[in-house]
Amino acid sequence: MAFGSSPLLLAELSKWCKEVEIEEAHAILLIGVPATTEVAVIEDAVQTVKVFGRVRVRDSKVGPSPDTLVVLCECREVIDPARIPAELLRPDGEESWKVVVTPGDVPTSEFSKKLSKFLTDERKSMIDLQALFSPQSFSCPESIIRAVGELLEKTTKPVGETNAYRRLRIFSGIVPIPIGEESLENWIEQARLMTEECECSEKEKRRRIMESVKGPALDIIKAVRFSCPDASAVQYLEALENTFGTLESGEDLYFAFRLMRQFPGEALSDFLRRMEKSLTKVVQRGGLSPQMMDRTRVDQLIRGAVESDLMLLQLRLRERREQPPTFLTLLNEIKGAEENETARRKLKVSVKAVQLRQDGETDSSVIKQLQE
């Protein structure tokens, strides 16, 4: 990943903040973080700078070199650029991490805003632009505009508004849940998948949500439309979740997830499934970006699996942090290890010592047991 000039980097920071839905005034970029660094270590290192307050990692990408990362962090405190160090010194003697924040006194240019919005709408980043041209191609605004035009040609494709799709089931918010309706948790999950994966317009997404709600849930959507006519489909879902769901923020859920530990006697696969349910809620509430799920899951499994140290060694998870497995891959590996362990225990219990008499004849009672 090669970074261009400062304006491009700031535009990338602005776009990234919109993708993970955090305010730029609370966001910082760390450049040069070793790829093997744990999430908890990054957070603890940044929190040594008191002006940041409590910090959490929201997302990461490949850095200037393949073995480093660019990490996006969210700070509890509003960032004062005048008090932020240019680099974060590492006490362990490692190379320092460069710190990038949005300058508070430098307004973003109109072109940068339009460029950031365009890339967001096309689900692209500055990296995609840089992949089309050499670094010298970004020496003037005209070259950037030319790059945007070529990217648009490659990514633009007609999208049918009337394509058939699997309709969302009905959600009303009534408790107990009426027959034929979905619970909030299941309905929200399906609706989020629709908003993320569907290539239709924002207007079409809002219509699909509107046609799948009724009763109290429909009243909430009407209230959102009245107060904010331009509200997005995601804002509709957030309003419903805030009204009918848990009041815990994504940040609260994230730190509760970080405290999870394996119960005595709990199978590692059961602990992983329990973790995944909690981690999914964290992501849904905006406490963590989906791109960080695999790495965060592995880090917490290593931290919290206090009853399965030997199995963790067999799975070599510490060595696989840089390229962590997905949830299903990890679950299959753990289930396989547990089945092998169960088979070994059964074999050990079933094997009985057969004692022979001095004359070489086997005890008839032992033969009877073996025949059974």
Side-chain angles (χ1 to χ4, degrees), residues 262-323:
Q262 186 180 15
F263 295 140
E266 183 180 26
L268 187 59
S269 57
D270 293 337
F271 176 52
L272 177 62
R273 281 192 288 262
R274 184 161 60 89
M275 274 179 46
E276 189 64 16
K277 185 176 182 180
S278 175
L279 182 59
T280 300
K281 291 182 179 179
V282 171
V283 174
Q284 291 175 346
R285 298 290 290 185
L288 187 74
S289 66
Q291 293 83 358
M292 289 292 295
M293 285 186 71
D294 290 343
R295 179 166 182 157
T296 303
R297 182 188 303 112
V298 169
D299 285 345
Q300 188 57 36
L301 189 65
I302 294 172
R303 178 191 294 265
V306 294
E307 300 287 322
S308 306
D309 291 338
L310 183 58
M311 190 169 293
L312 291 179
L313 290 174
Q314 294 174 349
L315 296 172
R316 296 173 55 85
L317 290 183
R318 287 182 174 84
E319 292 82 356
R320 300 163 65 189
R321 275 198 181 106
E322 188 173 346
Q323 295 181 328

Side-chain angles (χ1 to χ4, degrees), residues 213-233:
V213 295
K214 67 178 185 178
L218 181 58
D219 293 338
I220 296 298
I221 296 297
K222 289 179 178 178
V224 173
R225 290 186 65 190
F226 180 79
S227 61
C228 182
D230 296 328
S232 65

Side-chain angles (χ1 to χ4, degrees), residues 235-256:
Q235 289 175 305
Y236 282 6
L237 300 183
E238 289 176 348
L240 292 173
E241 195 167 14
N242 291 335
T243 303
F244 301 104
T246 176
L247 297 179
E248 293 179 293
S249 67
E251 181 178 291
D252 294 334
L253 292 171
Y254 172 73
F255 283 101

Side-chain angles (χ1 to χ4, degrees), residues 11 55 90 189 230 258 327 346 361:
V55 177
R90 304 291 293 122
E189 183 177 354
D230 296 328
R258 288 278 304 276
F327 167 69
K346 288 182 178 179
E361 295 181 356

Side-chain angles (χ1 to χ4, degrees), residues 96-275:
S96 59
W97 304 341
K98 182 180 178 182
V99 179
V100 178
V101 298
T102 300
D105 56 347
V106 180
T108 304
S109 67
E110 191 64 26
F111 174 76
S112 296
K113 291 179 181 178
K114 292 181 179 179
L115 177 59
S116 178
K117 183 179 184 302
F118 166 75
L119 292 175
T120 300
D121 293 341
E122 296 296 328
R123 297 182 181 179
K124 299 294 179 179
S125 68
M126 285 295 175
I127 306 171
D128 298 305
L129 286 180
Q130 293 170 337
L132 296 175
F133 295 90
S134 63
Q136 291 76 15
S137 301
F138 289 89
S139 56
C140 62
E142 290 78 8
S143 62
I144 299 177
I145 295 173
R146 193 161 51 249
V148 171
E150 294 195 14
L151 181 63
L152 181 60
E153 292 178 2
K154 292 185 176 183
T155 58
T156 301
K157 58 181 178 179
V159 178
E161 293 286 338
T162 59
N163 289 342
Y165 71 99
R166 182 179 179 181
R167 292 178 179 272
L168 296 173
R169 298 190 66 178
I170 298 299
F171 171 72
S172 67
I174 297 174
V175 178
I177 302 172
I179 297 176
E181 293 188 11
E182 283 283 6
S183 65
L184 174 66
E185 184 175 354
N186 292 339
W187 185 87
I188 283 288
E189 183 177 354
Q190 295 172 19
R192 287 191 184 279
L193 286 174
M194 184 274 293
T195 58
E196 293 171 1
E197 300 300 328
C198 179
E199 296 183 349
C200 61
S201 66
E202 189 65 31
K203 181 179 179 180
E204 175 68 12
K205 294 177 182 178
R206 291 195 298 263
R207 186 189 68 80
R208 294 182 182 184
I209 293 176
M210 287 283 293
E211 70 180 14
S212 65
V213 295
K214 67 178 185 178
L218 181 58
D219 293 338
I220 296 298
I221 296 297
K222 289 179 178 178
V224 173
R225 290 186 65 190
F226 180 79
S227 61
C228 182
D230 296 328
S232 65
V234 172
Q235 289 175 305
Y236 282 6
L237 300 183
E238 289 176 348
L240 292 173
E241 195 167 14
N242 291 335
T243 303
F244 301 104
T246 176
L247 297 179
E248 293 179 293
S249 67
E251 181 178 291
D252 294 334
L253 292 171
Y254 172 73
F255 283 101
F257 169 79
R258 288 278 304 276
L259 295 176
M260 293 185 71
R261 295 293 184 270
Q262 186 180 15
F263 295 140
E266 183 180 26
L268 187 59
S269 57
D270 293 337
F271 176 52
L272 177 62
R273 281 192 288 262
R274 184 161 60 89
M275 274 179 46

